[in-house]
Amino acid sequence: AQSVSQHNHHVILSEAASLELGCNYSYGGTVNLFWYVQYPGQHLQLLLKYFSGDPLVKGIKGFEAEFIKSKFSFNLRKPSVQWSDTAEYFCAVNAGAGNTPLVFGKGTRLSVIA
Amino acid sequence: DAGVTQSPTHLIKTRGQQVTLRCSPKSGHDTVSWYQQALGQGPQFIFQYYEEEERQRGNFPDRFSGHQFPNYSSELNVNALLLGDSALYLCASSSQSGGRGSTDTQYFGPGTRLTVL
């Protein structure tokens, strides 16, 4: 069975600091990888996704993620965070074939302070 | 272009009651998946509907059932509610048609917050 681990439960950063949120997954086959964000009071939104090709994926709002197959990792990065990035971030994976269920990590809460 | 919509927004029930939650998928999508998100946790897959049939199911008891209508909208029913069913219920829609890039992205609605007392 697939599983996803997010290493940090709560991260607190000052504005302009760099961000890296860890995500590791457990699955032996082809996977699709996602980062979703949940801003306070809002629904889950897709930040970025990886299906194949260039392992460095760029998403919305200046976020990017790198797929490292040998490490089963898909870490999320942003060079300079803003107060508006305060949110819950979820890493998710599904098997590569078809509309398979998403398996989510427990999420990382990011708090950006001025 | 309307996104995924869900109703109601909030619901309060007592133990033993039954509840029905509703979801309308994003325009052009034909597949609906339901997830349960407990407080402080990531969403967990309940089941998925396509062509009005349950196609895949997660590790949830038979008290959880669903339905998909010809217009692709869907309902989630939960019978004999338990306190532990209190959670945010999320609906996600996707499309089976098109290439791999379109079929594997699920878009989420705002959720229904269910509280069981």
Side-chain angles (χ1 to χ4, degrees):
Chain A
Q2 300 165 40
S3 67
V4 176
S5 297
Q6 292 185 240
H7 314 302
N8 310 101
H9 178 63
H10 188 192
V11 172
I12 303 173
L13 293 173
S14 298
E15 278 192 314
S18 64
L19 169 73
E20 180 159 5
L21 301 182
C23 172
N24 285 90
Y25 67 93
S26 169
Y27 184 68
T30 302
V31 293
N32 306 306
L33 296 153
F34 307 82
W35 275 96
Y36 284 87
V37 61
Q38 195 167 34
Y39 296 104
Q42 297 188 27
H43 61 279
L44 272 173
Q45 299 173 40
L46 182 68
L47 259 185
L48 47 78
K49 59 190 177 186
Y50 172 80
F51 292 147
S52 64
D54 188 344
L56 185 61
V57 179
K58 294 196 184 297
I60 61 171
K61 305 187 181 187
F63 287 92
E64 65 178 31
E66 184 176 13
F67 171 50
I68 303 179
K69 189 174 181 180
S70 61
K71 295 184 177 180
F72 296 89
S73 70
F74 190 56
N75 292 352
L76 181 70
R77 299 195 292 248
K78 185 171 184 179
S80 176
V81 296
Q82 301 173 322
W83 178 81
S84 58
D85 294 324
T86 295
E88 187 96 21
Y89 292 80
F90 294 94
C91 180
V93 60
N94 68 357
N99 260 288
T100 52
L102 286 167
V103 176
F104 283 84
K106 291 189 175 182
T108 297
R109 184 155 63 99
L110 172 65
S111 298
V112 180
I113 56 178
Chain B
D1 177 22
V4 181
T5 59
Q6 292 186 244
S7 63
T9 306
H10 295 88
L11 208 49
I12 300 174
K13 292 285 187 178
T14 56
R15 280 179 297 176
Q17 284 190 311
Q18 178 263 343
V19 69
T20 297
L21 311 181
R22 295 175 177 82
C23 170
S24 290
K26 185 177 166 69
S27 178
H29 286 181
D30 54 14
T31 302
V32 172
S33 301
W34 287 93
Y35 293 81
Q36 180 195 65
Q37 186 178 11
L39 205 59
Q41 302 293 319
Q44 282 199 305
F45 174 73
I46 303 174
F47 43 54
Q48 182 184 85
Y49 277 84
Y50 171 63
E51 290 185 328
E52 301 179 48
E53 289 187 14
E54 182 182 296
R55 298 291 177 164
Q56 300 181 78
R57 189 177 183 94
N59 189 24
F60 279 80
D62 292 345
R63 297 186 298 108
F64 289 76
S65 64
H67 189 77
Q68 186 179 34
F69 299 94
N71 67 353
Y72 309 121
S73 67
S74 176
E75 287 182 350
L76 163 65
N77 301 292
V78 187
N79 295 322
L81 284 167
L82 304 173
L83 294 179
D85 295 331
S86 295
L88 180 67
Y89 288 85
L90 297 169
C91 168
S93 76
S94 55
S95 174
Q96 296 281 359
S97 61
R100 181 162 173 256
S102 61
T103 59
D104 293 328
T105 302
Q106 296 180 32
Y107 294 89
F108 285 81
T112 294
R113 173 75 60 190
L114 172 64
T115 302
V116 182
L117 302 175

